[in-house]
Amino acid sequence: RNNLSLLSPDQIELGKMLLEMGQSHLFEHWPEPGVDDEQKRAFFDQVARLNSSYPGGLASYINTARELLADSKAGKNPFDGFTPSVPSGESLTFGDNSFVQFEETGVREMQNAAFVLVAGGLGERLGYNGIKVALPRESSSGTCYLQHYIESILALQDASSRLVEGGSPKQIPFVIMTSDDTHARTLELLESNSYFGMNPTQVKLLKQEKVACLDDNVARLAVDPRNKYVIQTKPHGHGDVHSLLYSSGLLNLWRHAGLRWVLFFQDTNGLLFKAIPAALGVSATKQYHVNSLAVPRKAKEAIGGIAKLTHADGRTMVINVEYNQLDPLLRATGYPDGDVNCETGYSPFPGNINQLILELGPYIEELTKTGGAIQEFVNPKYKDASKTSFKSSTRLECMMQDYPKTLPPTARVGFTVMDIWLAYAPVKNNPEDAAKVPKGNPYHSATSGEMAVYRANSLILKKAGVKVDDPVLQVFNGQEVEVWPHVTWKPKWALTFADVTSKVSGSCSISQKSTLVVNGSNIFLEDLSLDGALVINSVIDAEVKVGGSVQNKGWILENVDYKDTSAPEEVRIRGFRINKVEQLEKTYNEPGNFCLKA
Ligand code: UGB
């Protein structure tokens, strides 16, 4: 009370609210005015930030926390009353007629789309010290994830405007959700690389705030052990993206600009853009308000399962059940073995890869009601079975894929299943943990993430008629992976299967030890026989035909142990470096027609 004279009227209001919400312990040790006055004001600045960045403010946060903590103590199942079953969705097969049709529709729709990347997570499981979007997607070209994402969006933008007759080219908006952990480094990566060719005004960074930690079951806010004038905070989860987008005002701007789709994606999936055109095609064709991308899921894999939940009162919803909840839910509802594979070798529940496509109109309508608040959960680690105290402070969390939970039953919520090799190769696990993954389950490591890019590109070329040699098995950082020819291309070379077939003709072949880096758009492979490394760079106005027989010693993968600190972290975590022994590299900097006949 003696400190009131230090505070502004707004700060006094916040103080009253905290007292009313049972948070008097925060002020217990405050000395008389004149001591630590600056820190006391800074405390209220933090409270103001925590209050304004949470829908409904801190009081609402504390109330929700009390309810969820009580439920957790009582052992209440969040899916109480619901029975899971396997839902039916659109299942696509790469390269068949309907896939090609969906891709064409998707590319056409791209000019009505906006992309949102959630990149506020530090990736604790990976243990990498940098931001994940700065990691190379593959090391043959060295392109990092963020560059690949931006180049994919720009290529989609160009392709879409070419398809729509008389349509004026639109710039596809790109939002990146960052956090205090990733914001400065993401901005620095963009600025030091001229936004990888994107117009800087096209890119918006929205920073998510952390939320207050909770010390006990009555939701007393946790004081930072290092500074009694600071409330301890932790990340709130990727679900923040909805309230941030809503409060940014961007959604209405997009609606006024005639946009129709918002596509959400995560920080390290090097294959995702191979699946995006067809997935958007499905959304447009089926008129889905919500479309989640899914892949066949191995039981116990750390990706959520998409399930149809039917309540005893008749309500149903198709929703992600997070990986740690699927097994207990199944056991509690008549599946005594829990989360296990069925006769296909996969879990019957498709795996959520958290690529969501939302239709903008219904999305705005829903957020106008909810303010973007997403149903939260709490996951306290209790000291003992009495569940009265925690091992360390906890906080509320939310997930972006829980958005459909508040939708009315009339909402059109669907999902689209694609092949894993085409759509999903995240980089989440450190080498040690990846090496312990049960045989046959995906590693989700930097090693598997890179190998998946080569495999997908090789399989796509195969489907387009190129003779591609079978892979060999190799072990890096204790993980056995298929090593296909190292094929990589820029998104502007090919986005869809139709693009690939239009760029490849005659009788082409690629041996297993080969590397092919296609760094240009109008590069045509005609009767090319590749046994070694070939790198082609070209400017947009150069049309280059590449054929003949290329034979050289090529690029060789050399093992690097993840414990070898003399190697850069990016190299160590994938377990190999590329020794560029010999290659044919050609660069076409001028407009015109060229022929490379090796
Ligand atoms: N992220 C944020 O932007 N902010 C945060 O506060 C936290 C994360 P993880 P997770 O497809 O692979 C999700 O940690 O949460 C970003 C789905 O819930 O990589 O364990 C972060 O930067 C799960 O259902 O994944 O699991 C990253 O881009 C399954 O689909 C993204 O959120 C799984 O991803 C995901 O964070 C998957």
Side-chain angles (χ1 to χ4, degrees):
R1 208 165 265 284
N2 292 342
N3 283 295
L4 283 178
S5 59
L6 299 174
L7 307 178
S8 69
D10 286 351
Q11 291 176 329
I12 292 175
E13 280 309 307
L14 285 174
K16 274 192 200 157
M17 177 273 293
L18 287 174
L19 293 178
E20 279 161 21
M21 296 304 298
Q23 307 294 334
S24 59
H25 66 285
L26 294 173
F27 307 102
E28 256 161 27
H29 304 291
W30 279 32
E32 291 302 300
V35 184
D36 295 346
D37 289 351
E38 273 318 300
Q39 285 158 283
K40 291 170 191 164
R41 289 193 192 96
F43 169 86
F44 271 100
D45 289 344
Q46 189 200 12
V47 171
R49 272 198 312 279
L50 291 171
N51 192 52
S52 63
S53 60
Y54 186 81
L58 259 180
S60 154
Y61 180 77
I62 295 165
N63 280 332
T64 309
R66 284 187 183 141
E67 281 169 32
L68 291 173
L69 286 164
D71 287 351
S72 167
K73 185 164 184 243
K76 193 170 156 193
N77 171 358
F79 298 104
D80 223 8
F82 283 102
T83 310
S85 58
V86 180
S88 59
E90 193 66 38
S91 189
L92 304 187
T93 305
F94 176 79
D96 72 8
N97 285 344
S98 81
F99 186 90
V100 169
Q101 190 59 53
F102 281 130
E103 281 200 315
E104 195 192 324
T105 309
V107 172
R108 197 180 288 275
E109 280 295 321
M110 276 300 160
Q111 59 165 330
N112 301 322
F115 282 86
V116 180
L117 165 64
V118 290
L122 258 189
E124 281 161 358
R125 279 184 275 159
L126 182 63
Y128 173 62
N129 282 306
I131 50 168
K132 288 174 77 183
V133 290
L135 278 172
R137 170 180 176 256
E138 35 78 20
S139 32
S140 296
S141 73
T143 307
C144 74
Y145 282 102
L146 190 55
Q147 175 171 7
H148 173 72
Y149 295 152
I150 287 182
E151 289 179 347
S152 299
I153 294 170
L154 290 174
L156 285 165
Q157 179 179 298
D158 287 348
S160 186
S161 60
R162 277 198 304 272
L163 270 185
V164 179
E165 252 175 66
S168 55
K170 279 192 197 163
Q171 295 194 341
I172 296 180
F174 179 37
V175 170
I176 308 174
M177 181 171 82
T178 57
S179 68
D180 277 326
D181 295 328
T182 62
H183 186 84
R185 285 178 286 177
T186 307
L187 192 60
E188 152 72 19
L189 181 63
L190 287 166
E191 285 180 343
S192 58
N193 289 286
S194 309
Y195 284 73
F196 297 112
M198 191 171 253
N199 185 340
T201 58
Q202 239 174 304
V203 186
K204 289 269 179 304
L205 266 56
L206 299 178
K207 185 162 77 73
Q208 65 176 146
E209 294 295 334
K210 292 183 178 171
V211 287
C213 292
L214 309 157
D215 258 343
D216 54 25
N217 282 330
V218 291
R220 289 204 305 169
L221 302 184
V223 175
D224 191 323
R226 290 159 307 178
N227 184 341
K228 65 180 176 187
Y229 295 104
V230 172
I231 295 173
Q232 205 182 11
T233 58
K234 285 189 182 166
H236 189 219
H238 34 72
D240 278 348
V241 72
H242 301 294
S243 62
L244 272 177
L245 274 178
Y246 182 65
S247 59
S248 71
L250 283 170
L251 298 177
N252 279 324
L253 285 180
W254 293 347
R255 180 160 54 181
H256 291 139
L259 300 195
R260 194 175 160 207
W261 307 106
V262 191
L263 292 93
F264 295 83
F265 64 109
Q266 303 196 144
D267 49 19
T268 54
N269 181 2
L271 298 181
L272 183 74
F273 276 85
K274 296 188 183 303
I276 287 223
L280 183 57
V282 170
S283 276
T285 309
K286 307 263 163 187
Q287 306 201 333
Y288 281 152
H289 295 170
V290 178
N291 183 11
S292 311
L293 230 77
V295 295
R297 171 181 183 277
K298 284 282 184 186
K300 308 208 168 52
E301 193 180 338
I303 65 177
I306 296 185
K308 180 172 179 184
L309 298 181
T310 307
H311 198 270
D313 64 14
R315 277 177 294 149
T316 63
M317 60 178 167
V318 174
I319 194 85
N320 173 69
V321 179
E322 199 57 344
Y323 43 89
N324 55 340
Q325 293 175 327
L326 188 59
D327 186 78
L329 173 66
L330 291 170
R331 286 177 196 276
T333 50
Y335 299 84
D337 299 330
D339 181 16
V340 286
N341 293 325
C342 62
E343 63 286 353
T344 60
Y346 288 93
S347 155
F349 297 92
N352 162 49
I353 61 169
N354 249 10
Q355 154 67 53
L356 309 176
I357 304 179
L358 304 186
E359 189 176 352
L360 181 60
Y363 183 44
I364 293 179
E365 215 174 286
E366 178 66 11
L367 295 197
T368 310
K369 288 186 232 152
T370 62
I374 295 298
Q375 273 189 17
E376 293 159 301
F377 60 95
V378 70
N379 192 11
K381 307 278 178 291
Y382 296 107
K383 268 197 186 141
D384 54 41
S386 70
K387 293 192 175 177
T388 44
S389 47
F390 309 156
K391 282 186 188 156
S392 59
S393 66
T394 188
R395 86 289 195 180
L396 300 191
E397 295 177 72
C398 62
M399 301 189 292
M400 71 169 168
Q401 67 271 33
D402 278 345
Y403 162 75
K405 279 191 172 167
T406 54
L407 292 177
T410 50
R412 285 190 296 278
V413 181
F415 65 94
T416 305
V417 186
M418 292 203 202
D419 300 308
I420 302 177
W421 66 262
L422 181 73
Y424 188 55
V427 175
K428 300 201 183 210
N429 289 330
N430 62 59
E432 231 166 319
D433 290 345
K436 288 186 212 142
V437 164
K439 207 171 161 48
N441 276 23
Y443 297 116
H444 295 175
S445 67
T447 315
S448 61
E450 172 154 356
M451 290 304 152
V453 172
Y454 302 143
R455 180 178 53 181
N457 287 342
S458 296
L459 288 173
I460 292 170
L461 286 183
K462 245 180 127 156
K463 181 92 186 160
V466 177
K467 186 182 156 298
V468 180
D469 277 0
D470 285 341
V472 294
L473 290 177
Q474 263 180 280
V475 177
F476 302 104
N477 280 342
Q479 303 153 54
E480 189 180 68
V481 286
E482 282 185 1
V483 182
W484 288 81
H486 309 157
V487 178
T488 177
W489 59 72
K490 287 281 179 193
K492 63 187 170 188
W493 186 71
L495 290 159
T496 61
F497 184 52
D499 292 340
V500 175
T501 50
S502 72
K503 298 277 171 73
V504 176
S505 60
S507 159
C508 292
S509 65
I510 300 181
S511 71
Q512 185 279 327
K513 69 160 210 201
S514 294
T515 297
L516 174 64
V517 179
V518 181
N519 185 12
S521 49
N522 291 312
I523 296 170
F524 296 87
L525 310 181
E526 281 184 15
D527 298 316
L528 170 71
S529 156
L530 176 60
D531 183 28
L534 173 64
V535 181
I536 317 274
N537 311 300
S538 69
V539 292
I540 190 110
D541 303 325
E543 192 174 309
V544 189
K545 287 192 177 139
V546 182
S549 168
V550 176
Q551 213 166 14
N552 55 50
K553 294 198 179 87
W555 292 0
I556 294 167
L557 298 186
E558 291 177 349
N559 280 67
V560 174
D561 191 275
Y562 72 93
K563 291 189 202 119
D564 175 3
T565 48
S566 67
E569 209 183 350
E570 294 77 10
V571 171
R572 274 193 278 139
I573 58 171
R574 61 196 67 220
F576 56 82
R577 74 162 62 80
I578 296 183
N579 180 359
K580 298 183 176 177
V581 182
E582 194 186 5
Q583 72 277 318
L584 175 65
E585 176 161 6
K586 290 278 179 189
T587 300
Y588 301 87
N589 278 329
E590 305 289 329
N593 292 315
F594 305 91
C595 192
L596 166 63
K597 192 91 180 155

